[in-house]
Short mmCIF file of all heavy atoms in Angstrom, two decimals:
data_model
loop_
_atom_site.label_atom_id
_atom_site.label_comp_id
_atom_site.label_asym_id
_atom_site.label_seq_id
_atom_site.Cartn_x
_atom_site.Cartn_y
_atom_site.Cartn_z
N PRO A 20 -2.01 -11.56 19.25
CA PRO A 20 -0.93 -10.88 18.52
C PRO A 20 -1.10 -9.36 18.42
O PRO A 20 -0.22 -8.68 17.93
CB PRO A 20 -0.99 -11.53 17.14
CG PRO A 20 -2.40 -11.99 16.98
CD PRO A 20 -2.85 -12.36 18.36
N ARG A 27 0.48 0.21 22.90
CA ARG A 27 0.88 1.49 22.31
C ARG A 27 -0.29 2.46 22.30
O ARG A 27 -0.12 3.66 22.56
CB ARG A 27 1.41 1.29 20.88
CG ARG A 27 2.82 0.72 20.86
CD ARG A 27 3.43 0.68 19.46
NE ARG A 27 2.76 -0.30 18.61
CZ ARG A 27 2.04 -0.01 17.52
NH1 ARG A 27 1.90 1.24 17.12
NH2 ARG A 27 1.45 -0.96 16.81
N GLN A 44 -10.68 -14.85 12.42
CA GLN A 44 -11.99 -15.10 11.82
C GLN A 44 -11.90 -15.44 10.34
O GLN A 44 -12.90 -15.75 9.73
CB GLN A 44 -12.93 -13.91 12.04
CG GLN A 44 -12.52 -12.63 11.38
CD GLN A 44 -11.67 -11.77 12.28
OE1 GLN A 44 -10.69 -12.22 12.84
NE2 GLN A 44 -12.04 -10.51 12.43
N ARG A 60 -13.26 7.73 29.53
CA ARG A 60 -14.43 8.40 30.12
C ARG A 60 -13.93 9.32 31.22
O ARG A 60 -12.89 9.06 31.84
CB ARG A 60 -15.45 7.38 30.62
CG ARG A 60 -14.97 6.58 31.78
CD ARG A 60 -16.10 5.72 32.38
NE ARG A 60 -15.55 4.97 33.46
CZ ARG A 60 -15.38 3.66 33.47
NH1 ARG A 60 -15.74 2.94 32.44
NH2 ARG A 60 -14.85 3.07 34.51
N ASP A 66 -9.34 11.68 32.93
CA ASP A 66 -9.91 10.64 32.07
C ASP A 66 -9.40 9.26 32.47
O ASP A 66 -8.24 9.09 32.84
CB ASP A 66 -9.54 10.90 30.61
CG ASP A 66 -10.25 12.13 30.05
OD1 ASP A 66 -11.24 12.58 30.67
OD2 ASP A 66 -9.82 12.62 29.00
N SER A 94 -4.73 2.05 -15.15
CA SER A 94 -3.51 2.55 -14.54
C SER A 94 -2.30 1.92 -15.20
O SER A 94 -2.33 0.77 -15.62
CB SER A 94 -3.50 2.23 -13.04
OG SER A 94 -2.26 2.54 -12.49
N ASP A 97 2.54 -0.36 -11.40
CA ASP A 97 2.67 -1.48 -10.48
C ASP A 97 2.82 -0.86 -9.10
O ASP A 97 3.44 0.18 -8.95
CB ASP A 97 3.94 -2.29 -10.78
CG ASP A 97 3.91 -3.02 -12.11
OD1 ASP A 97 2.82 -3.20 -12.66
OD2 ASP A 97 4.99 -3.41 -12.58
N GLU A 105 8.34 -3.53 10.28
CA GLU A 105 8.20 -4.96 10.55
C GLU A 105 9.56 -5.64 10.59
O GLU A 105 10.28 -5.64 9.58
CB GLU A 105 7.32 -5.61 9.48
CG GLU A 105 7.18 -7.11 9.60
CD GLU A 105 6.66 -7.55 10.96
OE1 GLU A 105 5.59 -7.07 11.36
OE2 GLU A 105 7.34 -8.37 11.60
N ALA A 108 11.08 -10.27 7.94
CA ALA A 108 11.08 -10.03 6.50
C ALA A 108 9.91 -10.71 5.79
O ALA A 108 9.41 -10.21 4.79
CB ALA A 108 12.41 -10.49 5.89
N TYR A 114 1.50 -6.03 0.26
CA TYR A 114 0.60 -6.09 -0.89
C TYR A 114 1.38 -5.77 -2.15
O TYR A 114 2.21 -4.86 -2.16
CB TYR A 114 -0.51 -5.05 -0.68
CG TYR A 114 -1.43 -4.80 -1.84
CD1 TYR A 114 -2.51 -5.64 -2.09
CD2 TYR A 114 -1.26 -3.69 -2.66
CE1 TYR A 114 -3.38 -5.38 -3.15
CE2 TYR A 114 -2.13 -3.43 -3.70
CZ TYR A 114 -3.18 -4.27 -3.94
OH TYR A 114 -4.04 -4.01 -4.98
N GLU A 119 -1.84 -4.54 -14.49
CA GLU A 119 -2.89 -5.23 -15.25
C GLU A 119 -3.56 -6.29 -14.38
O GLU A 119 -2.88 -7.07 -13.71
CB GLU A 119 -2.26 -5.88 -16.48
CG GLU A 119 -3.26 -6.47 -17.43
CD GLU A 119 -2.59 -7.00 -18.69
OE1 GLU A 119 -1.40 -7.32 -18.66
OE2 GLU A 119 -3.30 -7.10 -19.69
N PRO A 123 0.29 -11.88 -13.53
CA PRO A 123 0.54 -12.73 -12.35
C PRO A 123 1.01 -11.89 -11.16
O PRO A 123 1.75 -10.93 -11.34
CB PRO A 123 1.64 -13.68 -12.82
CG PRO A 123 2.21 -13.08 -14.05
CD PRO A 123 1.19 -12.16 -14.63
N THR A 125 2.43 -13.38 -8.48
CA THR A 125 3.53 -14.10 -7.86
C THR A 125 4.53 -14.44 -8.95
O THR A 125 4.12 -14.69 -10.09
CB THR A 125 3.06 -15.39 -7.16
OG1 THR A 125 2.36 -16.20 -8.08
CG2 THR A 125 2.18 -15.07 -5.97
N PRO A 130 11.74 -5.34 -2.61
CA PRO A 130 11.88 -3.88 -2.76
C PRO A 130 13.02 -3.47 -3.69
O PRO A 130 12.86 -2.58 -4.50
CB PRO A 130 12.12 -3.38 -1.34
CG PRO A 130 11.59 -4.45 -0.46
CD PRO A 130 11.73 -5.74 -1.20
N TYR A 139 9.06 5.32 -7.83
CA TYR A 139 8.87 6.38 -6.86
C TYR A 139 8.36 5.74 -5.59
O TYR A 139 7.65 4.73 -5.63
CB TYR A 139 7.86 7.41 -7.37
CG TYR A 139 7.72 8.60 -6.46
CD1 TYR A 139 8.68 9.60 -6.44
CD2 TYR A 139 6.65 8.71 -5.59
CE1 TYR A 139 8.57 10.70 -5.59
CE2 TYR A 139 6.52 9.80 -4.74
CZ TYR A 139 7.50 10.78 -4.74
OH TYR A 139 7.38 11.86 -3.89
N LEU A 143 4.39 6.39 4.37
CA LEU A 143 3.01 6.49 4.85
C LEU A 143 2.97 6.06 6.32
O LEU A 143 2.59 4.95 6.63
CB LEU A 143 2.09 5.62 4.00
CG LEU A 143 0.61 5.65 4.29
CD1 LEU A 143 0.04 7.04 4.04
CD2 LEU A 143 -0.12 4.62 3.45
N GLU A 149 5.43 2.23 10.14
CA GLU A 149 6.06 2.97 9.04
C GLU A 149 5.81 2.23 7.73
O GLU A 149 6.59 1.38 7.32
CB GLU A 149 7.57 3.11 9.31
CG GLU A 149 7.90 3.96 10.51
CD GLU A 149 7.41 5.39 10.39
OE1 GLU A 149 7.43 5.95 9.28
OE2 GLU A 149 7.01 5.96 11.42
N TRP A 150 4.69 2.54 7.10
CA TRP A 150 4.37 1.93 5.82
C TRP A 150 5.04 2.74 4.71
O TRP A 150 5.36 3.92 4.87
CB TRP A 150 2.87 1.92 5.59
CG TRP A 150 2.12 0.91 6.42
CD1 TRP A 150 2.63 0.12 7.41
CD2 TRP A 150 0.74 0.61 6.32
NE1 TRP A 150 1.63 -0.67 7.93
CE2 TRP A 150 0.46 -0.39 7.27
CE3 TRP A 150 -0.30 1.07 5.52
CZ2 TRP A 150 -0.81 -0.93 7.45
CZ3 TRP A 150 -1.56 0.54 5.68
CH2 TRP A 150 -1.81 -0.45 6.64
N TYR A 157 4.53 0.21 -15.61
CA TYR A 157 4.69 -1.20 -15.99
C TYR A 157 5.87 -1.38 -16.93
O TYR A 157 6.26 -0.44 -17.63
CB TYR A 157 3.40 -1.76 -16.59
CG TYR A 157 2.99 -1.15 -17.92
CD1 TYR A 157 3.54 -1.58 -19.12
CD2 TYR A 157 2.01 -0.18 -17.97
CE1 TYR A 157 3.15 -1.04 -20.33
CE2 TYR A 157 1.61 0.37 -19.17
CZ TYR A 157 2.19 -0.07 -20.35
OH TYR A 157 1.79 0.47 -21.54
N VAL A 161 8.02 2.89 -20.53
CA VAL A 161 8.98 3.94 -20.88
C VAL A 161 9.39 3.80 -22.34
O VAL A 161 9.39 4.78 -23.09
CB VAL A 161 10.22 3.89 -19.95
CG1 VAL A 161 11.29 4.86 -20.43
CG2 VAL A 161 9.80 4.22 -18.52
N ALA A 181 16.90 22.30 -43.85
CA ALA A 181 17.31 21.93 -45.22
C ALA A 181 16.58 22.79 -46.24
O ALA A 181 17.18 23.24 -47.23
CB ALA A 181 17.05 20.44 -45.46
N ALA A 184 18.08 26.25 -46.11
CA ALA A 184 19.41 26.21 -46.74
C ALA A 184 19.27 26.14 -48.26
O ALA A 184 19.99 26.81 -49.01
CB ALA A 184 20.20 25.04 -46.23
N GLY A 185 18.31 25.35 -48.73
CA GLY A 185 18.10 25.25 -50.20
C GLY A 185 17.57 26.57 -50.74
O GLY A 185 17.97 26.99 -51.84
#
Side-chain angles (χ1 to χ4, degrees):
R27 284 187 291 114
Q44 64 269 51
R60 67 172 179 249
D66 291 343
S94 172
D97 292 342
E105 176 55 55
Y114 172 82
E119 187 175 24
T125 56
Y139 185 77
L143 183 64
E149 295 298 325
W150 287 6
Y157 66 82
V161 173

